[in-house]
């Protein structure tokens, strides 16, 4: 077992976005293919040379990790921009760096507002409340995995009831702003008989002896 125990390992896993990266729980609005292309041009327009990895890290850093485009979206976008003559590569392999060509600089100047607008795909997802919610989700998932690992059958049942109730509560929050009530209706339709919980028991996070 590594330093910090299993909880530390789980924390590192979620920090690497194994669960929150953010596919299992969603990133919010998904960035479009054109947004990745525009963001790359916007960064390259600031000057200097960038490689694909640096661009991925920079986009993630400027959005507090909420928008982390994959290599599968960045590198094809770079190839497209190279084919259009807007960027020029230098070097090979991982050392391959990119910079705007003269045509790319002219394009960036003519489309400055459009390029800056690419960041709108994640606007509103990097405010304090959104970041705090993401942190809380990771903390809850760490607790869930700990209960799953060390909990007794009774504790696992209690944890399942808590999560089922939480899921319904989340949809009820959305339903409050939904005049049709479809959010709550759709959720109720997917609930199984086992999910019917009226009183939610507290989870005892201290495993029974022998667990």
């Amino acid at each position: 077992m590594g330093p910090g125990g299993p909880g530390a390992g789980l924390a590192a896993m979620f920090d690497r976005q194994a669960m929150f990266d953010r596919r299992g729980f969603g990133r919010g609005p998904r960035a479009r293919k054109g947004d990745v292309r525009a963001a790359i041009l916007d960064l390259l327009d600031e000057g200097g040379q960038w490689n694909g990895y640096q661009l991925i890290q920079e986009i993630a850093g400027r959005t507090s990790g909420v928008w982390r485009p994959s290599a599968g979206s960045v590198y094809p976008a770079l190839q497209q921009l190279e084919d259009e003559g807007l960027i020029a590569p230098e070097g090979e392999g991982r050392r391959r760096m990119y910079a705007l060509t003269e045509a790319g600089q002219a394009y960036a100047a003519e489309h400055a507002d459009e390029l800056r607008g690419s960041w709108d795909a994640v606007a509103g997802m990097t405010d304090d409340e959104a970041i705090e919610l993401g942190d809380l989700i990771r903390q809850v998932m760490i607790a869930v995995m700990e209960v799953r690992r060390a909990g007794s059958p009774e504790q696992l049942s209690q944890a399942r009831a808590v999560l089922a109730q939480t899921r319904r509560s989340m949809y009820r929050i959305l339903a409050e702003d939904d005049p049709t009530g479809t959010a709550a209706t759709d959720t109720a339709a997917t609930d199984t008989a086992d999910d019917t919980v009226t009183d939610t028991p507290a989870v005892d996070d201290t495993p029974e002896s022998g667990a």
Side-chain angles (χ1 to χ4, degrees):
M1 183 179 298
L10 287 168
M13 177 179 67
F14 286 104
D15 285 342
R16 290 194 304 269
Q17 303 167 335
M19 289 293 291
F20 194 68
D21 174 50
R22 278 153 167 93
R23 303 185 186 198
F25 296 100
R27 302 180 182 179
R30 292 178 64 87
R32 300 164 297 181
K33 182 177 179 180
D35 294 324
V36 175
R37 176 182 181 276
I40 291 172
L41 286 172
D42 194 42
L43 291 175
L44 293 179
D45 189 43
E46 295 181 0
Q49 293 182 321
W50 302 67
N51 62 32
Y53 176 79
Q54 290 170 335
L55 290 167
I56 292 172
Q57 295 300 308
E58 187 68 15
I59 292 173
R62 295 194 184 193
T63 61
S64 298
V66 174
W67 183 17
R68 184 183 293 272
S70 67
S73 62
V74 168
Y75 287 101
L78 287 170
Q79 184 61 57
Q80 178 186 354
L81 291 169
E82 182 180 348
D83 293 342
E84 295 175 13
L86 299 180
I87 66 174
E90 182 177 320
E92 297 293 338
R94 295 183 178 180
R95 297 183 179 180
R96 194 180 183 106
M97 307 293 288
Y98 297 87
L100 291 181
T101 61
E102 290 185 6
Q105 293 171 3
Y107 181 93
E110 294 172 3
H111 300 81
D113 291 340
E114 176 187 338
L115 301 185
R116 285 192 293 269
S118 63
W119 304 97
D120 291 342
V122 290
M125 292 190 292
T126 57
D127 57 26
D128 290 342
E129 290 186 359
I131 294 173
E132 289 175 3
L133 178 60
D135 289 340
L136 181 58
I137 291 173
R138 288 191 289 274
Q139 294 168 16
V140 169
M141 287 308 301
I142 291 170
V144 169
M145 295 302 291
E146 284 288 87
V147 173
R148 181 182 179 184
R149 180 189 66 83
S152 66
E154 181 181 356
Q155 289 169 336
L156 293 177
S157 178
Q158 292 175 348
R160 183 174 181 274
V162 169
L163 293 176
Q165 181 62 47
T166 299
R167 178 171 63 89
R168 285 194 294 271
S169 297
M170 292 295 101
Y171 280 108
R172 289 193 187 104
I173 291 173
L174 294 177
E176 291 177 0
D177 294 328
D178 182 1
T180 67
T182 54
T185 302
D186 292 345
T187 303
T190 62
D191 285 337
T192 64
D194 290 339
D195 284 340
T196 304
V197 180
T198 53
D199 296 324
T200 303
V203 175
D204 181 0
D205 59 6
T206 304
E208 294 180 353
S209 60

